[in-house]
Structure formats: structure tokens, C-alpha cells
Amino acid sequence: MKTKLLLVVPFFSLLCAAQAPINSYYPVNGSEFVVLSTTAPLDQTASGANKTWDFTTLTQIGTSIDNNLLPTTGEIATFPNTTNNTVSTATIGVDIFESKIYSKDNAGQVAITGIINSQVELNFAANNALVGTFPLNYGYSNVDDLEGTFTSGTFTGGVAGTISNSVDAYGTLNLSIDGGGITTYQVTRLKSVQNVDLSYSIFGNIGTIDQTLYYYYAYGDLSLDTPIFRTSHTVVNVPLQGINNETYDQMEKYYNFLGVAENSKIASVSLFPNPTQDQLHIESKDSEIKEITVSDMSGRIVFHQNGKIETLSLGNLQNGIYNATIVTTSGSKTEKIIKN
């Protein structure tokens, strides 16, 4: 078994008693994770109501950050109908890994349109991989076909298979990292299974990729759209490339928001007028503004700028509620703003 970043990035890249929903497919923008390994395999077979998972042999080996970006014109041309690009950047030792998951969100119905990392590109233009229509509740289950092309090194061929998603369990998750104390979360779990066949030229089928992913969402006081814990298990078999049933595992624990540590200072910043139809003025009383990021309620970045900013134009945005995160020399602050 190999504990490392996956050959194929997870397809995603990402709940009160059983009925609390998974509200969004997209993680909170800037979500930071601790990348983990384990001295003993995790037992995730339990499914159903009121289950308990004890993952207490975890060790930190790195960090990763998720960001949601608007796709470029070129990316939309390559992955038609894409509305979002979720970028995950992981640092393990001196190595940095970046992966991108392209998706289409149509009134809450989310489907994967493509995936890119340093080793492979998967394009589901022929048949997008449906995740589901959010919010998703406990008991949700769906199987969908996917189809398109893959590119890996000098190989370009076809890809076809199925994706199965289910909100299959809820209960208690106990986590311990680096021998520390156990932290307990009440969670609901999203399970995703992908079985993919690869074909190439006259050779026909040249291999398979089978992947199982689990996402544990905390609810109650710790309710988040970002999973509190996520894992992926992948088996890759492509003999033509010398890959024979190689296994890859990845585990990550949610840590905090990018640039906003849990014990950081709250900046003294005012935003006005709010609501606004266009101009939003930003005033920092005791420090200099270094950066501002505006994201919609799905976590997708719609504006980002470094440097001192006093006025922001929202005239090109659709009416709605947005989150504005302002980073100053003395701290950070996130406020909801209304465009009307």
C-alpha cells in the first residue's frame, strides 16, 4: 500500500441528526487541510445510522489548500459548460502538488466535467459525471455513467465508466493526530465510488482506475460545508505504462481557513453602504489593507486583489449575498455583503 498523493485526484475535489443536509458540493473557499498518514488501515466499512468511526493512529505529513475559481475562457472551451474550477494545492515535505477539478453547477445540480493533475487529464465532455442536486440528505443514492477522453504522458485515449454517490451513514467520528487527544465530531458521510475503463488506439481496453472516497461532514455547532475529514483509496491498473494494481491512499483533516488562523486577530474594518447596488467603500481604522477576496455563497471567488483598496465596484455581479474577506496588517475579517 502506498500512502501518497493519488495518481488520480479525487473526483470530488469536496449534516443535526440524520436529516441535516450537505448544503454544497464546493468546500469553503480557502479551506486548509492537514495531510495525514496512518500506522493502521482505517476501517470505514460501517454504514447506516448512529455509527462510530475511530481514527486514532493518524500522523501529519503535510498540508493542502482548496480554492474555488472561475474557469478561464480556454478552460471552458476544453471542458464545455464548466462553471467552477476547484484547485487543490498540497505541500508534502519539499514537494508541491496541484490538481484541478472542473464542474458544472446548474441550479444546485453538480456534475464533474474534467480533472487535471501532473499525471493525467480526464475530460468528461461526452458524458459528465453527475454528483447530485444539492442539498443532499441522508439516504441519497445515485449511479451515473461517465464518458470522455484521457491524456497521460504520450497516451491519449477514451475513458468510460460509472460514478456512484450516496449519503450512506451518520454518527460519531473520533480523531487523534500525532498521538494527541481524541477530538469527537458528529458527522454525516458522503461516499463516492468511481470505476473507470481506459482505452487506447488499436489496443482497446488498456486498464482500469477504481476509486472510493469518503467525506465526513460535521454538523451542529461545528457545521461546515467543508468536510471535517476526507479519504480516498485508489487502485490503478495500466500494464501498458508499467502500472500493475498499484494502490494509493490519501487522508486529510480540515484545519482552518487560508490566512485566517483560529487564534488570529479580527481586523477593524468597515464596509459601506451595505446593501449596495455598485460601489462598496472599505475603511480600515488602525491598519493597512493588504488583500481582499470576494466569493459567492458556493465558495467561488468572484473578485481578488492584493494591495491597498478603498473602493470596490460590484456592478458586474449578480444580485445576491457574498462573503468579503479583508486581510490587513493587523488581522483579518470576513463579512457578508449584499448586492441589490
Side-chain angles (χ1 to χ4, degrees):
M1 178 177 292
K2 299 183 179 180
T3 302
K4 56 186 289 187
L5 286 187
L6 301 177
L7 174 70
V8 179
V9 65
F11 280 22
F12 304 113
S13 162
L14 36 226
L15 293 129
C16 76
Q19 301 306 312
I22 302 175
N23 292 311
S24 175
Y25 163 76
Y26 303 101
V28 175
N29 198 62
S31 293
E32 184 174 338
F33 295 83
V34 177
V35 181
L36 303 162
S37 65
T38 180
T39 57
L42 303 184
D43 184 358
Q44 301 186 83
T45 56
S47 63
N50 298 314
K51 301 301 178 181
T52 299
W53 302 274
D54 294 311
F55 305 149
T56 57
T57 58
L58 304 172
T59 301
Q60 180 178 350
I61 59 174
T63 60
S64 68
I65 297 170
D66 284 0
N67 282 294
N68 302 301
L69 306 176
L70 291 173
T72 66
T73 301
E75 289 171 329
I76 295 173
T78 302
F79 305 98
N81 302 315
T82 293
T83 61
N84 194 84
N85 173 17
T86 302
V87 180
S88 180
T89 305
T91 303
I92 300 179
V94 298
D95 297 319
I96 297 176
F97 306 86
E98 183 180 89
S99 60
K100 299 179 180 180
I101 301 178
Y102 297 97
S103 59
K104 174 181 66 176
D105 187 339
N106 182 14
Q109 184 182 80
V110 177
I112 307 304
T113 58
I115 297 168
I116 292 180
N117 66 16
S118 60
Q119 296 168 303
V120 68
E121 174 181 314
L122 299 176
N123 188 322
F124 304 134
N127 193 352
N128 299 159
L130 178 66
V131 181
T133 301
F134 288 80
L136 299 180
N137 291 285
Y138 172 67
Y140 169 78
S141 180
N142 184 68
V143 179
D144 189 51
D145 294 330
L146 58 87
E147 185 178 358
T149 60
F150 81 91
T151 301
S152 180
T154 60
F155 295 94
T156 298
V159 57
T162 61
I163 180 171
S164 173
N165 297 288
S166 60
V167 183
D168 74 325
Y170 70 93
T172 302
L173 173 64
N174 297 312
L175 297 177
S176 176
I177 300 174
D178 293 330
I182 295 175
T183 304
T184 298
Y185 304 92
Q186 298 304 306
V187 298
T188 297
R189 185 173 75 181
L190 172 64
K191 179 181 179 181
S192 180
V193 178
Q194 299 93 39
N195 302 113
V196 174
D197 293 324
L198 307 177
S199 60
Y200 176 69
S201 186
I202 62 173
F203 297 97
N205 187 299
I206 62 168
T208 58
I209 301 172
D210 298 308
Q211 187 173 60
T212 300
L213 305 102
Y214 291 102
Y215 296 85
Y216 296 81
Y217 291 83
Y219 58 80
D221 292 340
L222 294 175
S223 179
L224 292 168
D225 287 338
T226 299
I228 197 71
F229 187 68
R230 62 189 185 187
T231 74
S232 58
H233 174 76
T234 306
V235 180
V236 181
N237 182 41
V238 189
L240 197 62
Q241 289 187 303
I243 302 173
N244 296 288
N245 291 318
E246 293 190 3
T247 302
Y248 302 84
D249 287 279
Q250 185 172 334
M251 293 157 282
E252 294 175 302
K253 159 72 168 61
Y254 174 79
Y255 179 60
N256 62 7
F257 298 119
L258 173 62
V260 186
E262 292 176 354
N263 61 351
S264 65
K265 295 181 179 179
I266 304 300
S268 178
V269 177
S270 299
L271 303 174
F272 60 92
N274 188 15
T276 181
Q277 293 183 344
D278 187 1
Q279 299 294 316
L280 182 71
H281 301 288
I282 308 169
E283 182 179 286
S284 178
K285 298 180 180 180
D286 58 359
S287 56
E288 181 179 341
I289 295 173
K290 297 171 56 181
E291 177 183 352
I292 182 170
T293 301
V294 179
S295 58
D296 62 21
M297 297 311 291
S298 70
R300 182 174 57 186
I301 293 176
V302 296
F303 177 85
H304 176 82
Q305 182 174 320
N306 293 316
K308 185 177 180 180
I309 303 170
E310 296 180 345
T311 303
L312 178 63
S313 176
L314 305 179
N316 63 329
L317 297 181
Q318 295 182 349
N319 292 347
I321 301 174
Y322 297 85
N323 286 319
T325 298
I326 301 95
V327 179
T328 75
T329 53
S330 65
S332 303
K333 185 177 184 179
T334 299
E335 281 198 1
K336 283 185 169 57
I337 55 177
I338 299 174
K339 164 67 177 4
N340 60 15

